Amino acid sequence: MTLQPAIDTFVNVNMGSMERPDYLVRVAEDYFKRPGDMFRDYTPAQLLELMDASGVERAIITVRAVDDAPLGLAFPEADPERFVLSVSLDPRQGMKAVRALQALHANHPVVLARVVPFFFNLAPDSREYYPLYAKCVELDLPISVNTGIPGPPAPGMCQHPMHLDEVCLFFPELKVVMAHGADPWWREAIRLMLKYRNLYLMTSAFAPKYFPPELLQFMNTRGKKKIIFASDHPVLGMDRCVREARELDLRDGVLERFLYQNAYDLFWGA
């Protein structure tokens, strides 16, 4: 039987060499129970070997706009058919962040911007984010925003999905992807996705076997085109997440959209 191919929309390649704040070490040890596997770097050849073994056709590599973009750039340079980039940004940097995003997007295959509210304890409807949102609209570039209570011992309310309500209202053209699920606020996230056609959710850092019933029901009905597969590898292993996704109880055609087509449509254009 031919396995359904996948696109992994959240892959980290430099967690071995990056700075390790205490909260990240703690979450690796206490939450994910795999500190030895999390903190490692990958070469393009190593990641391609894993992708081939897991049936992952393409991957979006996450880089920080200022600190470590050169490491991530090696991946699309090595194989432009299989690797593209997302850029993680600090909205508090204002126009510096906007210019960094614009420069990377102009010169490299950037398909996604990223912000992580708990890093700054700054909700995504705060004014600091708005220049980035405007630039993403101008570039027709989706942006991912972490939602749900974070695993690390860090502020969580800033990641409540309802903070995206007025963002989506004010920027109707902006394509927003809630990242890392939305636990425990799944129903709010689902209701917002029903309300806004350009709001999506990716399942990074959330093992498929633990998807809540309301998310599976949404995927099987009105949310067939809204939910996007991601692993957050190596925080959660790409191979594990793909395997568990293929074991989900999904209606005909839903797995193909979840693992592949929804990401392809959003990031490569339908």
Side-chain angles (χ1 to χ4, degrees), residues 4 8 11 22-23 33 39 47 58 84 96 109 115 117 137 143 149 157 173 180 191 202 210 230 241-242 246:
Q4 169 60 50
D8 194 337
V11 178
D22 290 342
Y23 75 79
K33 310 293 186 184
F39 296 117
L47 192 56
R58 307 183 188 204
V84 291
K96 180 180 179 181
V115 289
V137 171
I143 186 167
I149 294 177
M157 186 53 68
E173 302 93 346
H180 287 22
R191 184 64 187 88
M202 68 169 56
Y210 296 120
C241 290
V242 173
R246 293 188 178 119

Side-chain angles (χ1 to χ4, degrees), residues 24-101:
L24 190 58
V25 174
R26 177 173 166 183
V27 77
E29 294 174 348
D30 298 342
Y31 195 78
F32 289 105
K33 310 293 186 184
R34 53 199 309 272
D37 294 328
M38 273 183 57
F39 296 117
R40 61 166 293 186
D41 291 347
Y42 284 84
T43 65
Q46 289 170 331
L47 192 56
L48 284 169
E49 182 179 3
L50 176 62
M51 290 166 62
D52 289 341
S54 304
V56 175
E57 183 178 291
R58 307 183 188 204
I60 300 179
I61 306 300
T62 298
V63 299
R64 288 176 292 181
V66 176
D67 300 319
D68 61 2
L71 178 62
L73 299 182
F75 284 76
E77 289 172 359
D79 195 330
E81 296 298 318
R82 301 189 69 181
F83 295 122
V84 291
L85 300 175
S86 65
V87 179
S88 183
L89 299 146
D90 182 345
R92 300 170 302 177
Q93 294 180 333
M95 290 306 298
K96 180 180 179 181
V98 170
R99 294 187 183 104
L101 174 61

Side-chain angles (χ1 to χ4, degrees), residues 6-237:
I7 296 173
D8 194 337
T9 57
F10 204 132
V11 178
N12 307 285
V13 295
N14 68 326
M15 294 191 70
S17 56
M18 69 180 290
E19 179 183 352
R20 301 180 196 177
D22 290 342
Y23 75 79
L24 190 58
V25 174
R26 177 173 166 183
V27 77
E29 294 174 348
D30 298 342
Y31 195 78
F32 289 105
K33 310 293 186 184
R34 53 199 309 272
D37 294 328
M38 273 183 57
F39 296 117
R40 61 166 293 186
D41 291 347
Y42 284 84
T43 65
Q46 289 170 331
L47 192 56
L48 284 169
E49 182 179 3
L50 176 62
M51 290 166 62
D52 289 341
S54 304
V56 175
E57 183 178 291
R58 307 183 188 204
I60 300 179
I61 306 300
T62 298
V63 299
R64 288 176 292 181
V66 176
D67 300 319
D68 61 2
L71 178 62
L73 299 182
F75 284 76
E77 289 172 359
D79 195 330
E81 296 298 318
R82 301 189 69 181
F83 295 122
V84 291
L85 300 175
S86 65
V87 179
S88 183
L89 299 146
D90 182 345
R92 300 170 302 177
Q93 294 180 333
M95 290 306 298
K96 180 180 179 181
V98 170
R99 294 187 183 104
L101 174 61
Q102 184 167 8
L104 282 167
H105 181 268
N107 296 295
H108 303 285
V110 173
V111 300
L112 178 66
R114 294 196 192 279
V115 289
V116 182
F118 88 81
F119 281 174
F120 327 112
N121 193 17
L122 191 66
D125 53 0
S126 301
R127 65 183 182 179
E128 288 88 344
Y129 292 86
Y130 275 49
L132 284 175
Y133 297 153
K135 177 55 66 174
C136 286
V137 171
E138 178 184 329
L139 298 175
D140 192 24
L141 186 69
I143 186 167
S144 79
V145 181
N146 281 31
T147 48
I149 294 177
M157 186 53 68
C158 61
Q159 296 197 161
H160 197 297
M162 284 305 300
H163 288 297
L164 294 172
D165 185 32
E166 292 193 34
V167 173
C168 293
L169 189 65
F170 194 78
F171 294 98
E173 302 93 346
L174 181 65
K175 298 167 185 173
V176 180
V177 185
M178 293 177 281
H180 287 22
D183 193 58
W185 303 301
W186 297 102
R187 293 185 179 183
E188 291 89 339
I190 289 168
R191 184 64 187 88
L192 287 170
M193 283 187 281
L194 291 172
K195 182 178 180 181
Y196 297 111
R197 67 180 181 87
N198 280 330
L199 182 63
Y200 304 84
L201 182 144
M202 68 169 56
T203 59
S204 48
F206 211 94
K209 74 175 182 179
Y210 296 120
F211 286 179
E214 55 265 47
L215 179 63
L216 291 171
Q217 194 272 341
F218 182 62
M219 292 170 69
N220 276 322
T221 54
R222 298 177 68 183
K224 180 178 178 180
K225 298 182 179 182
K226 288 283 194 171
I227 310 301
I228 297 168
F229 172 79
S231 67
D232 198 21
H233 183 86
V235 177
L236 282 179

